[in-house]
Every structure is written in C-alpha cells, then in structure tokens.
Coordinates of all heavy atoms in Angstrom, one line a residue:
M1 N 0.9 -1.2 0.0 CA 0.0 0.0 0.0 C 0.9 1.3 0.0 O 1.9 1.3 0.7 CB -0.9 0.0 1.2 CG -2.0 1.0 1.2 SD -2.8 1.2 2.8 CE -3.8 -0.3 2.8
T2 N 0.5 2.3 -0.8 CA 1.3 3.5 -0.9 C 0.8 4.5 0.2 O -0.2 4.3 0.7 CB 1.2 4.1 -2.3 OG1 -0.1 4.3 -2.6 CG2 1.9 3.2 -3.3
G3 N 1.6 5.5 0.4 CA 1.2 6.7 1.2 C 1.1 6.4 2.7 O 0.3 7.0 3.4
K4 N 1.9 5.5 3.1 CA 1.9 5.2 4.6 C 2.6 6.3 5.3 O 3.6 6.8 4.9 CB 2.6 3.8 4.9 CG 1.8 2.6 4.5 CD 2.4 1.4 5.1 CE 1.5 0.2 4.7 NZ 2.1 -1.1 5.2
K5 N 2.1 6.6 6.5 CA 2.8 7.6 7.4 C 3.0 7.0 8.7 O 2.3 6.0 9.1 CB 1.8 8.8 7.5 CG 1.7 9.6 6.2 CD 0.8 10.8 6.4 CE 0.8 11.5 5.1 NZ -0.2 12.6 5.1
E6 N 3.9 7.5 9.5 CA 4.2 7.0 10.8 C 3.3 7.7 11.8 O 3.3 9.0 11.9 CB 5.7 7.1 11.2 CG 6.0 6.4 12.5 CD 7.4 6.6 12.9 OE1 7.7 7.6 13.6 OE2 8.3 5.8 12.5
F7 N 2.6 7.0 12.6 CA 1.7 7.5 13.6 C 2.2 7.1 15.0 O 2.7 6.0 15.3 CB 0.3 6.9 13.5 CG -0.4 7.4 12.3 CD1 -0.2 6.8 11.0 CD2 -1.4 8.4 12.4 CE1 -0.9 7.3 9.9 CE2 -2.1 8.8 11.3 CZ -1.8 8.3 10.0
T8 N 2.0 8.0 16.0 CA 2.0 7.7 17.4 C 0.6 7.7 17.9 O -0.2 8.6 17.7 CB 2.9 8.7 18.2 OG1 4.2 8.7 17.7 CG2 2.8 8.4 19.7
V9 N 0.2 6.5 18.5 CA -1.2 6.4 19.0 C -1.1 6.1 20.5 O -0.5 5.1 20.9 CB -1.9 5.2 18.3 CG1 -3.3 5.0 18.8 CG2 -2.0 5.5 16.8
T10 N -1.7 7.0 21.3 CA -1.7 6.9 22.7 C -3.1 6.4 23.2 O -4.1 7.1 22.9 CB -1.3 8.2 23.4 OG1 0.0 8.6 22.8 CG2 -1.2 8.1 24.9
V11 N -3.1 5.3 24.0 CA -4.4 4.8 24.4 C -4.4 4.7 25.9 O -3.5 4.0 26.5 CB -4.6 3.3 23.8 CG1 -6.0 2.8 24.2 CG2 -4.4 3.3 22.3
Y12 N -5.4 5.4 26.5 CA -5.6 5.3 28.0 C -6.6 4.1 28.2 O -7.7 4.2 27.6 CB -6.1 6.6 28.6 CG -5.0 7.6 28.6 CD1 -4.7 8.5 27.5 CD2 -4.2 7.8 29.8 CE1 -3.7 9.4 27.6 CE2 -3.2 8.7 29.8 CZ -3.0 9.6 28.7 OH -2.0 10.5 28.8
M13 N -6.2 3.2 29.1 CA -7.1 2.0 29.3 C -7.1 1.6 30.7 O -6.2 1.9 31.5 CB -6.6 0.8 28.4 CG -5.2 0.4 28.7 SD -4.7 -1.0 27.6 CE -4.6 -0.3 26.0
Q14 N -8.2 0.9 31.1 CA -8.3 0.4 32.5 C -7.2 -0.6 32.7 O -6.9 -1.4 31.7 CB -9.7 -0.3 32.7 CG -10.9 0.6 32.6 CD -11.1 1.5 33.8 OE1 -10.3 1.4 34.8 NE2 -12.0 2.4 33.7
N15 N -6.7 -0.7 33.9 CA -5.6 -1.6 34.2 C -6.2 -3.0 34.4 O -6.2 -3.5 35.6 CB -4.9 -1.1 35.4 CG -3.6 -2.0 35.7 OD1 -3.2 -2.7 34.9 ND2 -3.1 -1.8 36.9
R16 N -6.8 -3.6 33.4 CA -7.4 -5.0 33.5 C -6.7 -5.9 32.5 O -6.4 -5.5 31.3 CB -8.9 -4.9 33.1 CG -9.7 -4.2 34.1 CD -11.1 -4.6 34.1 NE -11.8 -3.8 35.1 CZ -12.7 -2.8 34.8 NH1 -13.0 -2.5 33.5 NH2 -13.2 -2.0 35.7
T17 N -6.5 -7.1 32.9 CA -5.8 -8.1 32.0 C -6.6 -8.3 30.7 O -7.8 -8.4 30.8 CB -5.7 -9.5 32.8 OG1 -5.1 -9.2 34.0 CG2 -4.9 -10.5 32.0
G18 N -5.8 -8.2 29.6 CA -6.5 -8.5 28.3 C -6.8 -7.3 27.5 O -7.2 -7.5 26.3
V19 N -6.8 -6.1 28.1 CA -7.2 -4.9 27.3 C -6.2 -4.7 26.2 O -6.5 -4.5 25.0 CB -7.4 -3.7 28.2 CG1 -8.0 -2.6 27.3 CG2 -8.3 -4.0 29.3
L20 N -4.9 -4.7 26.6 CA -3.8 -4.4 25.6 C -3.9 -5.5 24.5 O -3.7 -5.2 23.3 CB -2.5 -4.5 26.3 CG -1.3 -4.4 25.3 CD1 -1.3 -3.1 24.5 CD2 0.0 -4.4 26.1
N21 N -4.2 -6.7 24.9 CA -4.3 -7.8 23.9 C -5.4 -7.5 22.9 O -5.2 -7.7 21.7 CB -4.5 -9.1 24.6 CG -4.4 -10.3 23.7 OD1 -3.5 -10.4 22.9 ND2 -5.4 -11.3 23.8
R22 N -6.5 -7.1 23.4 CA -7.7 -6.8 22.4 C -7.3 -5.7 21.5 O -7.6 -5.7 20.3 CB -8.9 -6.4 23.2 CG -9.7 -7.6 23.7 CD -11.1 -7.3 24.2 NE -11.1 -6.8 25.5 CZ -11.4 -5.6 25.9 NH1 -11.8 -4.7 25.0 NH2 -11.4 -5.2 27.2
V23 N -6.6 -4.7 22.0 CA -6.2 -3.5 21.1 C -5.1 -4.0 20.1 O -5.2 -3.7 18.9 CB -5.7 -2.4 21.9 CG1 -5.1 -1.3 21.0 CG2 -6.8 -1.8 22.8
S24 N -4.2 -4.8 20.5 CA -3.1 -5.3 19.6 C -3.7 -6.2 18.5 O -3.2 -6.1 17.4 CB -2.1 -6.2 20.4 OG -1.5 -5.4 21.4
I25 N -4.7 -7.0 18.8 CA -5.4 -7.8 17.8 C -6.0 -7.0 16.7 O -6.0 -7.4 15.6 CB -6.4 -8.7 18.5 CG1 -5.7 -9.9 19.2 CG2 -7.4 -9.3 17.5 CD1 -6.5 -10.7 20.1
I26 N -6.5 -5.8 17.0 CA -7.0 -4.9 16.0 C -5.9 -4.6 15.0 O -6.2 -4.6 13.8 CB -7.6 -3.6 16.7 CG1 -8.9 -4.0 17.5 CG2 -8.0 -2.6 15.6 CD1 -9.4 -2.9 18.3
F27 N -4.7 -4.3 15.5 CA -3.6 -4.0 14.5 C -3.2 -5.2 13.7 O -3.1 -5.2 12.5 CB -2.4 -3.5 15.3 CG -2.6 -2.1 15.9 CD1 -2.5 -1.9 17.3 CD2 -3.0 -1.0 15.1 CE1 -2.7 -0.7 17.9 CE2 -3.2 0.2 15.7 CZ -3.0 0.4 17.1
S28 N -3.1 -6.4 14.4 CA -2.6 -7.6 13.7 C -3.6 -8.1 12.6 O -3.3 -8.5 11.6 CB -2.2 -8.7 14.7 OG -3.3 -9.1 15.4
R29 N -4.9 -8.0 12.9 CA -6.0 -8.4 12.0 C -5.9 -7.6 10.7 O -6.1 -8.0 9.6 CB -7.4 -8.1 12.6 CG -7.8 -9.3 13.5 CD -9.3 -9.5 13.4 NE -9.7 -10.4 14.5 CZ -10.3 -10.0 15.6 NH1 -10.7 -8.8 15.8 NH2 -10.6 -10.9 16.5
R30 N -5.5 -6.3 10.8 CA -5.4 -5.4 9.7 C -4.0 -5.3 9.1 O -3.7 -4.5 8.3 CB -5.9 -4.0 10.0 CG -7.4 -4.0 10.3 CD -7.9 -2.6 10.6 NE -9.2 -2.5 11.0 CZ -10.2 -1.9 10.3 NH1 -9.9 -1.3 9.2 NH2 -11.4 -1.9 10.8
R31 N -3.1 -6.3 9.6 CA -1.8 -6.4 9.1 C -1.0 -5.1 9.3 O -0.2 -4.7 8.4 CB -1.8 -6.8 7.6 CG -2.5 -8.1 7.3 CD -1.6 -9.3 7.6 NE -2.2 -10.5 7.3 CZ -2.9 -11.2 8.2 NH1 -3.1 -10.8 9.4 NH2 -3.4 -12.4 7.9
V32 N -1.2 -4.5 10.4 CA -0.4 -3.3 10.8 C 0.7 -3.8 11.7 O 0.4 -4.3 12.8 CB -1.2 -2.2 11.4 CG1 -0.4 -1.0 11.8 CG2 -2.3 -1.8 10.5
N33 N 1.9 -3.5 11.3 CA 3.1 -3.9 12.2 C 3.3 -2.9 13.2 O 3.3 -1.7 13.0 CB 4.3 -4.1 11.2 CG 5.5 -4.7 11.9 OD1 5.3 -5.6 12.8 ND2 6.6 -4.2 11.6
I34 N 3.6 -3.3 14.5 CA 3.9 -2.4 15.6 C 5.4 -2.1 15.6 O 6.2 -3.0 15.7 CB 3.4 -3.0 16.9 CG1 1.9 -3.2 16.9 CG2 3.9 -2.1 18.1 CD1 1.3 -4.0 18.1
E35 N 5.7 -0.9 15.4 CA 7.2 -0.5 15.4 C 7.7 -0.3 16.8 O 8.8 -0.7 17.1 CB 7.4 0.9 14.7 CG 6.7 1.1 13.4 CD 7.4 0.3 12.3 OE1 8.6 -0.1 12.5 OE2 6.9 0.2 11.2
S36 N 6.8 0.2 17.7 CA 7.2 0.4 19.1 C 6.0 0.4 20.0 O 4.9 0.7 19.6 CB 8.0 1.8 19.2 OG 7.8 2.4 20.4
L37 N 6.2 -0.1 21.2 CA 5.1 -0.2 22.2 C 5.6 0.1 23.6 O 6.6 -0.5 24.0 CB 4.5 -1.7 22.2 CG 3.5 -2.1 23.2 CD1 2.3 -1.2 23.2 CD2 3.1 -3.5 23.0
N38 N 5.0 1.0 24.3 CA 5.4 1.4 25.6 C 4.2 1.4 26.6 O 3.2 2.1 26.3 CB 6.1 2.8 25.5 CG 6.6 3.3 26.8 OD1 7.2 2.6 27.6 ND2 6.3 4.5 27.2
V39 N 4.3 0.7 27.7 CA 3.2 0.6 28.6 C 3.7 1.2 29.9 O 4.7 0.8 30.5 CB 2.8 -0.8 28.9 CG1 1.6 -0.9 29.9 CG2 2.4 -1.5 27.6
T40 N 3.0 2.2 30.4 CA 3.3 2.9 31.7 C 2.0 3.1 32.5 O 0.9 3.1 31.9 CB 4.0 4.2 31.5 OG1 3.2 5.1 30.7 CG2 5.4 4.1 30.9
S41 N 2.2 3.4 33.8 CA 1.1 3.9 34.6 C 0.8 5.3 34.1 O 1.7 6.0 33.7 CB 1.5 3.9 36.1 OG 1.8 2.6 36.5
S42 N -0.4 5.7 34.1 CA -0.7 7.1 33.8 C -0.8 7.9 35.1 O -0.5 7.3 36.2 CB -2.1 7.2 33.1 OG -3.1 7.0 34.1
E43 N -1.1 9.2 35.0 CA -1.2 10.0 36.3 C -2.4 9.7 37.0 O -2.6 10.1 38.2 CB -1.1 11.5 35.9 CG -2.2 12.0 35.0 CD -1.9 11.8 33.5 OE1 -1.1 10.9 33.1 OE2 -2.6 12.4 32.7
M44 N -3.3 8.8 36.4 CA -4.6 8.5 37.1 C -4.5 7.1 37.7 O -4.1 6.1 36.9 CB -5.8 8.5 36.1 CG -6.0 9.9 35.6 SD -6.9 9.9 34.0 CE -5.6 9.6 32.9
P45 N -4.9 6.9 38.9 CA -4.8 5.5 39.5 C -5.6 4.5 38.8 O -6.8 4.8 38.4 CB -5.3 5.7 41.0 CG -5.3 7.2 41.2 CD -5.4 7.9 39.9
G46 N -5.1 3.3 38.5 CA -5.9 2.3 37.8 C -6.0 2.5 36.3 O -6.7 1.7 35.7
I47 N -5.3 3.4 35.8 CA -5.4 3.7 34.3 C -3.9 3.5 33.8 O -3.0 4.2 34.2 CB -5.9 5.1 34.0 CG1 -7.2 5.4 34.7 CG2 -6.0 5.3 32.5 CD1 -8.4 4.5 34.4
K48 N -3.8 2.7 32.7 CA -2.6 2.5 32.0 C -2.5 3.4 30.8 O -3.6 3.7 30.2 CB -2.4 1.1 31.6 CG -2.0 0.1 32.7 CD -0.5 0.0 32.9 CE -0.2 -0.8 34.1 NZ -0.5 -2.2 34.0
K49 N -1.3 3.9 30.5 CA -1.1 4.7 29.2 C -0.2 3.8 28.3 O 0.9 3.4 28.7 CB -0.3 6.0 29.6 CG 0.0 6.8 28.4 CD 0.8 8.0 28.9 CE 1.1 8.9 27.7 NZ 2.0 10.1 28.2
V50 N -0.8 3.5 27.1 CA -0.1 2.6 26.2 C 0.2 3.4 24.9 O -0.7 4.0 24.3 CB -0.9 1.4 25.9 CG1 -0.2 0.4 24.9 CG2 -1.2 0.6 27.2
V51 N 1.5 3.5 24.5 CA 1.9 4.3 23.3 C 2.4 3.4 22.3 O 3.4 2.6 22.5 CB 2.9 5.3 23.7 CG1 3.3 6.2 22.5 CG2 2.4 6.2 24.8
F52 N 1.7 3.4 21.1 CA 2.1 2.6 20.0 C 2.7 3.5 18.9 O 2.3 4.6 18.7 CB 0.9 1.9 19.3 CG 0.1 0.9 20.1 CD1 -0.9 1.3 20.9 CD2 0.4 -0.4 20.0 CE1 -1.6 0.4 21.6 CE2 -0.3 -1.4 20.7 CZ -1.3 -1.0 21.5
V53 N 3.7 3.0 18.2 CA 4.2 3.7 17.0 C 4.0 2.7 15.8 O 4.4 1.5 15.9 CB 5.7 4.1 17.1 CG1 6.2 4.7 15.7 CG2 5.9 5.1 18.2
L54 N 3.3 3.1 14.8 CA 2.9 2.3 13.7 C 3.0 3.0 12.3 O 2.8 4.3 12.3 CB 1.4 1.8 13.8 CG 1.0 1.5 15.2 CD1 -0.2 2.4 15.6 CD2 0.6 0.0 15.3
S55 N 3.1 2.3 11.3 CA 3.1 2.9 9.9 C 1.8 2.4 9.2 O 1.6 1.2 9.1 CB 4.3 2.6 9.1 OG 5.4 3.3 9.7
E56 N 1.0 3.3 8.7 CA -0.2 2.9 7.9 C -0.7 4.1 7.1 O -0.3 5.3 7.4 CB -1.2 2.4 9.0 CG -2.5 1.9 8.4 CD -2.2 0.8 7.3 OE1 -2.0 1.2 6.1 OE2 -2.3 -0.4 7.6
A57 N -1.5 3.9 6.1 CA -2.2 4.9 5.4 C -3.1 5.7 6.3 O -3.7 5.1 7.2 CB -2.9 4.4 4.2
E58 N -3.3 7.0 6.1 CA -4.1 7.8 7.0 C -5.5 7.3 7.2 O -6.0 7.3 8.3 CB -4.0 9.2 6.4 CG -3.6 10.2 7.5 CD -3.4 11.6 6.9 OE1 -2.8 11.8 5.9 OE2 -3.9 12.6 7.6
E59 N -6.2 7.0 6.0 CA -7.6 6.7 6.1 C -7.8 5.3 6.9 O -8.7 5.2 7.7 CB -8.2 6.5 4.7 CG -9.7 6.4 4.6 CD -10.5 7.4 5.5 OE1 -10.1 8.6 5.6 OE2 -11.5 6.9 6.1
A60 N -6.9 4.4 6.6 CA -7.0 3.1 7.3 C -6.7 3.3 8.8 O -7.4 2.7 9.6 CB -5.9 2.1 6.7
M61 N -5.8 4.2 9.1 CA -5.5 4.4 10.6 C -6.7 5.1 11.3 O -7.0 4.8 12.4 CB -4.2 5.3 10.7 CG -3.7 5.4 12.1 SD -3.4 3.8 12.9 CE -1.7 3.5 12.3
R62 N -7.3 6.0 10.6 CA -8.5 6.6 11.2 C -9.6 5.6 11.5 O -10.2 5.6 12.6 CB -9.1 7.6 10.2 CG -8.8 9.1 10.6 CD -9.7 10.0 9.8 NE -9.4 10.1 8.4 CZ -8.4 11.0 8.0 NH1 -7.8 11.7 8.8 NH2 -8.2 11.0 6.7
K63 N -9.8 4.6 10.7 CA -10.8 3.5 10.9 C -10.3 2.7 12.1 O -11.2 2.3 13.0 CB -10.9 2.6 9.7 CG -11.7 3.3 8.6 CD -11.9 2.3 7.4 CE -12.5 3.0 6.2 NZ -12.2 2.4 5.0
I64 N -9.1 2.4 12.2 CA -8.5 1.5 13.2 C -8.7 2.3 14.6 O -9.1 1.7 15.6 CB -7.0 1.2 13.0 CG1 -6.9 0.2 11.8 CG2 -6.3 0.7 14.2 CD1 -5.5 0.0 11.3
I65 N -8.4 3.6 14.6 CA -8.6 4.3 15.8 C -10.0 4.4 16.3 O -10.3 4.2 17.5 CB -8.0 5.8 15.6 CG1 -6.4 5.6 15.6 CG2 -8.4 6.7 16.8 CD1 -5.7 6.9 15.1
R66 N -10.9 4.5 15.4 CA -12.4 4.5 15.7 C -12.7 3.1 16.4 O -13.5 3.1 17.3 CB -13.2 4.7 14.5 CG -13.4 6.2 14.2 CD -14.6 6.5 13.3 NE -14.5 5.9 12.0 CZ -13.9 6.6 11.0 NH1 -13.4 7.9 11.2 NH2 -13.8 6.1 9.8
Q67 N -12.2 2.1 15.8 CA -12.4 0.7 16.4 C -11.8 0.6 17.8 O -12.5 0.0 18.7 CB -11.8 -0.3 15.5 CG -12.5 -1.6 15.5 CD -11.8 -2.6 14.6 OE1 -11.2 -2.3 13.6 NE2 -12.0 -3.9 14.9
I68 N -10.7 1.1 18.0 CA -10.0 1.1 19.3 C -10.9 1.9 20.3 O -11.1 1.4 21.5 CB -8.6 1.6 19.3 CG1 -7.7 0.7 18.4 CG2 -8.0 1.7 20.7 CD1 -6.3 1.3 18.1
E69 N -11.4 3.0 19.9 CA -12.2 3.9 20.8 C -13.4 3.2 21.3 O -13.9 3.5 22.3 CB -12.6 5.2 20.1 CG -11.4 6.2 20.0 CD -11.7 7.3 19.0 OE1 -12.6 7.2 18.2 OE2 -11.0 8.3 19.2
K70 N -13.9 2.2 20.5 CA -15.2 1.5 20.9 C -14.9 0.4 21.8 O -15.9 -0.2 22.4 CB -15.8 0.9 19.6 CG -16.5 2.0 18.7 CD -17.1 1.3 17.5 CE -17.4 2.2 16.4 NZ -17.4 1.6 15.1
Q71 N -13.7 0.0 22.1 CA -13.4 -1.1 23.0 C -13.8 -0.8 24.4 O -13.5 0.3 24.9 CB -11.9 -1.4 22.9 CG -11.4 -2.0 21.7 CD -12.0 -3.3 21.4 OE1 -12.0 -4.2 22.2 NE2 -12.5 -3.5 20.2
I72 N -14.4 -1.8 25.0 CA -14.6 -1.7 26.5 C -13.3 -1.6 27.2 O -12.3 -2.2 26.8 CB -15.4 -3.0 26.9 CG1 -16.8 -3.0 26.3 CG2 -15.5 -3.0 28.4 CD1 -17.5 -4.3 26.4
D73 N -13.3 -0.7 28.2 CA -12.1 -0.4 29.1 C -11.1 0.5 28.4 O -10.0 0.8 29.0 CB -11.4 -1.7 29.5 CG -12.2 -2.6 30.4 OD1 -13.0 -2.0 31.2 OD2 -12.1 -3.8 30.4
V74 N -11.4 0.9 27.2 CA -10.5 2.0 26.5 C -11.2 3.3 26.9 O -12.4 3.5 26.6 CB -10.4 1.8 25.0 CG1 -9.8 3.0 24.4 CG2 -9.5 0.6 24.7
L75 N -10.4 4.2 27.5 CA -11.0 5.5 27.9 C -10.8 6.6 26.9 O -11.7 7.4 26.7 CB -10.4 5.9 29.3 CG -10.5 4.8 30.3 CD1 -9.7 5.2 31.5 CD2 -11.9 4.6 30.7
Q76 N -9.6 6.7 26.3 CA -9.3 7.8 25.5 C -8.2 7.4 24.5 O -7.3 6.7 24.9 CB -8.8 9.0 26.3 CG -8.7 10.3 25.6 CD -10.0 11.0 25.4 OE1 -10.8 11.1 26.3 NE2 -10.2 11.4 24.1
V77 N -8.3 7.9 23.3 CA -7.3 7.6 22.3 C -6.8 8.9 21.6 O -7.7 9.7 21.2 CB -7.8 6.7 21.1 CG1 -6.6 6.3 20.2 CG2 -8.3 5.4 21.7
Y78 N -5.5 9.2 21.7 CA -4.9 10.4 21.0 C -4.0 9.9 19.9 O -3.4 8.8 20.0 CB -4.1 11.2 22.0 CG -4.9 11.8 23.1 CD1 -4.9 11.2 24.4 CD2 -5.7 12.9 22.9 CE1 -5.6 11.8 25.4 CE2 -6.5 13.5 23.9 CZ -6.4 12.9 25.2 OH -7.2 13.4 26.2
H79 N -3.9 10.6 18.8 CA -2.9 10.2 17.8 C -2.3 11.5 17.1 O -2.9 12.5 17.1 CB -3.5 9.3 16.8 CG -4.4 10.0 15.8 ND1 -5.7 10.3 16.1 CD2 -4.2 10.4 14.5 CE1 -6.2 10.9 15.0 NE2 -5.3 11.0 14.1
H80 N -1.1 11.3 16.6 CA -0.5 12.3 15.7 C 0.4 11.6 14.7 O 0.8 10.5 14.9 CB 0.2 13.4 16.5 CG 1.4 12.9 17.3 ND1 1.4 12.6 18.6 CD2 2.7 12.7 16.8 CE1 2.6 12.2 19.0 NE2 3.4 12.2 17.9
I81 N 0.6 12.4 13.6 CA 1.5 11.9 12.6 C 2.9 12.4 12.9 O 3.1 13.6 13.2 CB 1.1 12.4 11.2 CG1 -0.3 11.8 10.9 CG2 2.1 12.0 10.1 CD1 -1.0 12.3 9.6
N82 N 3.9 11.5 12.9 CA 5.3 11.9 13.2 C 5.9 12.5 12.0 O 5.9 11.9 10.9 CB 6.0 10.6 13.6 CG 5.4 10.0 14.9 OD1 4.8 10.7 15.7 ND2 5.6 8.7 15.0
S83 N 6.5 13.6 12.2 CA 7.3 14.2 11.1 C 8.6 13.5 11.0 O 9.2 13.1 12.0 CB 7.7 15.7 11.4 OG 6.5 16.4 11.5
P84 N 9.1 13.3 9.7 CA 10.5 12.7 9.6 C 11.5 13.5 10.4 O 11.4 14.8 10.3 CB 10.7 12.7 8.1 CG 9.4 12.9 7.5 CD 8.6 13.6 8.5
V85 N 12.5 12.9 11.0 CA 13.5 13.7 11.7 C 14.2 14.6 10.8 O 14.5 15.8 11.1 CB 14.5 12.7 12.4 CG1 15.7 13.5 13.0 CG2 13.8 11.9 13.4
S86 N 14.4 14.2 9.5 CA 15.1 15.1 8.5 C 14.3 16.4 8.3 O 14.9 17.5 8.1 CB 15.2 14.4 7.2 OG 14.0 14.0 6.7
A87 N 12.9 16.3 8.4 CA 12.1 17.6 8.2 C 12.3 18.5 9.4 O 12.4 19.7 9.2 CB 10.7 17.2 8.0
I88 N 12.4 17.9 10.6 CA 12.6 18.7 11.8 C 13.9 19.3 11.7 O 14.1 20.5 12.0 CB 12.4 17.8 13.0 CG1 11.0 17.2 13.1 CG2 12.8 18.6 14.3 CD1 10.9 16.1 14.1
A89 N 15.0 18.6 11.3 CA 16.3 19.1 11.3 C 16.5 20.2 10.3 O 17.2 21.2 10.6 CB 17.3 18.0 11.0
S90 N 15.8 20.2 9.2 CA 15.9 21.2 8.2 C 15.3 22.5 8.6 O 15.5 23.6 8.0 CB 15.4 20.7 6.8 OG 14.0 20.6 6.9
N91 N 14.4 22.5 9.6 CA 13.8 23.7 10.1 C 14.7 24.5 11.0 O 14.4 25.6 11.4 CB 12.5 23.4 10.9 CG 11.3 23.0 9.9 OD1 11.4 23.4 8.8 ND2 10.4 22.3 10.4
N92 N 15.8 23.9 11.5 CA 16.7 24.5 12.4 C 17.8 25.3 11.7 O 18.1 25.0 10.6 CB 17.2 23.5 13.4 CG 16.1 23.0 14.3 OD1 15.2 23.7 14.6 ND2 16.2 21.7 14.7
Ligands
X2X101 C1 -1.3 -3.4 29.6 C2 -1.8 -3.8 30.9 O1 -1.1 -3.8 31.8 C3 -3.3 -4.2 30.9 C4 -4.1 -3.1 30.5 O2 -3.6 -4.5 32.3 C5 -3.5 -5.5 30.1 O3 -4.0 -5.4 29.0 O4 -3.1 -6.5 30.6

C-alpha cells in the first residue's frame, strides 16, 4: 500500500488483564506492524497509558482508531503523525 505515514497512537485504558491484547489484535488483523510499544502507569490511579508507533495509510489508521475507541475499558485515544526527523532538522 502506498502513502503510509508513521503514527504515534496513545491509548488510555483500564488496568485490566487482556485490554492491551484486544487492542493489539485490532492491529494484527489489519496487518499493521507495531514499530514500538510502551506501557506505563498514567497519572490516574488504575489507568494505564499505552503508546504505539505504527506505519499505515491515513484513512486506514482513522478507521482503526475508531475501532479502538469502541473497545470496552478503553477510555481515550490520541494520535498524531510523526514528522520525519530530517524535516525537523531542516527547520533549524
Ligand atoms: C497493559 C496492561 O497492563 C493491561 C491493560 O492491564 C493489560 O492489558 O493486561
């Protein structure tokens, strides 16, 4: 598929076994490879903050994010498109 961009997707979820698994399955079903995954406690007790980095076309990623938002125990999803480091460097 052409036009893939790199996304950072941040998911706040209840600290319950299996929630991360359900979200990960959404990516694997759609053949989206996970570049990076970071799980930490959030500033809210009982809530985990999970940060994914993935490459996908924008429209496909929008659909995936909507699906993640519908998951039980998912509280909030944020995302942004990552600028290439070369673009950031050329601004300086
Ligand atoms: C990632 C984590 O610690 C969770 C949310 O409890 C889980 O999915 O097991």
Side-chain angles (χ1 to χ4, degrees):
M1 191 190 285
T2 56
K4 284 192 182 182
K5 292 178 177 172
E6 190 184 87
F7 289 81
T8 296
V9 179
T10 303
V11 184
Y12 287 88
M13 58 180 70
Q14 297 286 353
N15 188 16
R16 294 205 181 105
T17 308
V19 188
L20 174 58
N21 190 42
R22 277 194 277 116
V23 173
S24 301
I25 283 170
I26 293 170
F27 292 123
S28 60
R29 278 211 190 108
R30 293 183 184 244
R31 299 283 181 266
V32 177
N33 190 37
I34 297 169
E35 310 286 348
S36 149
L37 171 60
N38 180 45
V39 182
T40 55
S41 301
S42 72
E43 61 276 21
M44 295 159 282
I47 309 298
K48 285 272 172 68
K49 179 185 180 182
V50 180
V51 181
F52 296 90
V53 175
L54 320 120
S55 288
E56 186 50 277
E58 231 173 314
E59 189 49 39
M61 188 58 84
R62 257 197 285 276
K63 284 181 188 154
I64 289 169
I65 288 166
R66 276 199 292 274
Q67 208 180 335
I68 295 169
E69 284 169 339
K70 286 183 198 152
Q71 290 297 309
I72 292 166
D73 294 328
V74 167
L75 305 171
Q76 189 77 48
V77 183
Y78 297 102
H79 74 279
H80 64 262
I81 296 170
N82 299 333
S83 297
V85 174
S86 58
I88 297 165
S90 67
N91 284 336
N92 293 328

